[in-house]
Each structure stands twice: as structure tokens, then as C-alpha cells.
Amino acid sequence: MAACASPAGPAPAAPGPARALPTPDHVVVVVLENHNAEEIIGAPDALYLTSLARQGAVFSDSHAITHPSQPNYLALFSGDTQGIADDSCPHSFATPNLGTELAAAHLGFAGYSEDLPGTGYAGCFPGHYDRDHAPWADFTNLPGSVNLPYTQFPADPARLPTVSFVIPNLCNDMHSCDVSTGDAWLRTNMVGYVSWAHAHNSLLVITFDESEDSPSNQIATIVAGPMVVPGDYGEYVDHYRVLRTLEEMYRLPPLGQSRRAAPIADIWAGPR
């Protein structure tokens, strides 16, 4: 696909000192699939994502760790690719991960996957669900009860655990369908949470597993919530920095390669 000219996006953020990280009541992380940053931010098929970018922080130098999909999900969730370099399934790991660290801190975690056949389902590829995109299903130190169908995403976001991941199905995550399909799904499914989050000290993170064909694996990453100073941030961000930021917010021990990453510390507003 031909590269687009410089896409429209949020105005640059005013420079300022890094602030202490907030502790959101809830964070929802949505992971989408296989698109370069310029296909998303400012693109005509991604009007809702572009509107979210204008409301929040968008990182113009955000990158995935590797190719293909699965090791990126593992990196984001556990700080390591766990030695996986393909999309094979199933795998089992017993290493620490974001879910175990949250549980140890008496905080909640759940992964909500669209088209997952049932809570705790351990199969690989039924229908439009792909276990490669739900890394918590690979960790034997997490109960099956954290692996939930998206139909169980609560209508009242106050019932969400502290940190949730949302994984659309293979069409709605843009893997097998176009950008406009995924963008419409996000508008339908996340607009209510975004509105609620702004009134309830909560946060939405949207990122991609990997690029389509960017030489540097550049992806779109957006963070939106009441504690975010909107703008276009040019610092380098990757999945390990996103994970380290979540760990820092809840004072969790950093996992794997996230130990070497600095948390994102300059996008936050002062005390409200």
C-alpha cells in the first residue's frame, strides 16, 4: 500500500515537565491488527480513531516489537516474547505477567475477547476468535476465569476490573476486514466507555499488534482519559513502554524487558 503524505493529527503538545503517573480507577487496553500508523491517524477510513487521537495523546513514533502477531501480544502482556517467533498455538507458560502482578497487588484483571466461545475456553482458532491474540490464555498461573467472552464486558464500566484488555474478533480488529470496519466497531463499542472514563478517573489505551509493511514496524498508539494532556507526542514508544506505564501506575514490579523501558511520564495533567 502506498504511503500517505503527512496525515492530519492533533496539534503538538506544549512541552513541559514530566508529571507523576496517575492511578486510574480502570484502564481498558484495546489491541487492533496489522496497520501502519498513517493508515489510522488522520485517515478517512478511521474517523473515530482520529477523533480519539485529537481528544488524547497520540504517539507519532510508536512501534511494535517484532513480527508476526503473537510475540507482540506476549511482549505487551508479559514483558517478553517468551521465545515465540510465530503464530503457532497452543502454548503454556508459567512466568509472571500483568495478570499475576495485578492479582498479587489485590487488583483485578480480565481479558475480553470477541467470539470467544465461553469463559476459560482453551482452544486456538474457532470462528473469528484467535487465541494468539489473547495471551492470558497461555499462562497456567492465571485462572480460566480471567479469559472472558466480550459479551461479558459489563454495561456498567464501574464493574470492570482494574485493568482489562479488549480483543475484537478477526474482522473487527482489522486483521481480516478493512479499517473502516474496525473503526465503526470501536465507535459502537467504546464510545460509552470513553464518555464514562472522562467522568470516572479512567483510561483507554488503543494500540496495534504490528504494522502492515512499515520498515520500522511503526503503529498507532492512542491514550485517552481525563488525566491526559491532549497532543501529538514524538517520543519513542513500544509495547514494553506501554506495559511499564501500566506497571508504574499500580506500583507493580516491572516484567522482563519492561524493566529497561521508561514509563510514559509526560502526557499527564496535574492533580485535578
Side-chain angles (χ1 to χ4, degrees):
M1 180 175 293
C4 297
S6 213
R19 298 186 182 275
L21 270 65
T23 303
D25 292 349
H26 302 275
V27 178
V28 172
V29 180
V30 181
V31 187
L32 305 171
E33 283 265 319
N34 298 15
H35 283 281
N36 303 343
E38 69 267 18
E39 297 176 273
I40 303 301
I41 307 302
D45 287 339
L47 296 179
Y48 181 64
L49 280 163
T50 297
S51 75
L52 282 177
R54 293 185 185 281
Q55 296 174 44
V58 59
F59 295 95
S60 55
D61 196 21
S62 179
H63 301 264
I65 302 301
T66 187
H67 294 289
S69 293
Q70 183 166 220
N72 289 297
Y73 285 90
L74 290 165
L76 180 59
F77 185 67
S78 70
D80 198 279
T81 62
Q82 305 297 332
I84 301 301
D86 57 24
D87 287 333
S88 56
C89 180
H91 295 285
S92 294
F93 312 111
T95 49
N97 56 73
L98 181 59
T100 60
E101 296 293 271
L102 286 163
H106 306 289
L107 300 170
F109 168 79
Y112 298 91
S113 297
E114 190 178 23
D115 291 352
L116 179 73
T119 299
Y121 179 82
C124 289
F125 311 116
H128 293 289
Y129 165 77
D130 187 343
R131 175 169 153 171
D132 291 351
H133 302 171
W136 42 89
D138 293 338
F139 287 87
T140 58
N141 49 12
L142 289 174
S145 58
V146 305
N147 187 24
L148 296 169
Y150 181 67
T151 52
Q152 293 191 32
F153 191 87
D156 178 3
R159 295 175 52 213
L160 285 165
T162 306
V163 178
S164 307
F165 275 55
V166 169
I167 307 298
N169 68 26
L170 286 169
C171 179
N172 292 322
D173 68 2
M174 307 184 194
H175 177 280
S176 303
C177 296
D178 58 21
V179 169
S180 62
T181 298
D183 192 71
W185 188 93
L186 287 167
R187 181 185 294 275
T188 298
N189 288 274
M190 287 293 118
V191 70
Y193 173 75
V194 171
S195 177
W196 181 90
H198 274 277
H200 293 87
N201 187 44
S202 295
L203 197 65
L204 175 68
V205 178
I206 296 180
T207 193
F208 282 72
D209 67 327
E210 59 179 330
S211 71
E212 181 180 25
D213 55 13
S214 163
S216 63
N217 213 351
Q218 189 170 356
I219 57 173
T221 297
I222 300 165
V223 180
M227 65 289 290
V228 176
V229 178
D232 188 334
Y233 292 80
E235 66 197 85
Y236 181 91
V237 169
D238 61 18
H239 294 321
Y240 295 136
R241 282 202 76 192
V242 174
L243 174 59
R244 181 61 189 273
T245 303
L246 295 173
E247 293 164 338
E248 194 77 8
M249 285 175 167
Y250 299 106
R251 299 170 181 81
L252 307 176
L255 296 161
Q257 298 299 317
S258 75
R259 295 187 190 100
R260 303 180 182 181
I264 298 166
D266 57 348
I267 69 171
W268 312 110
R272 300 179 68 83

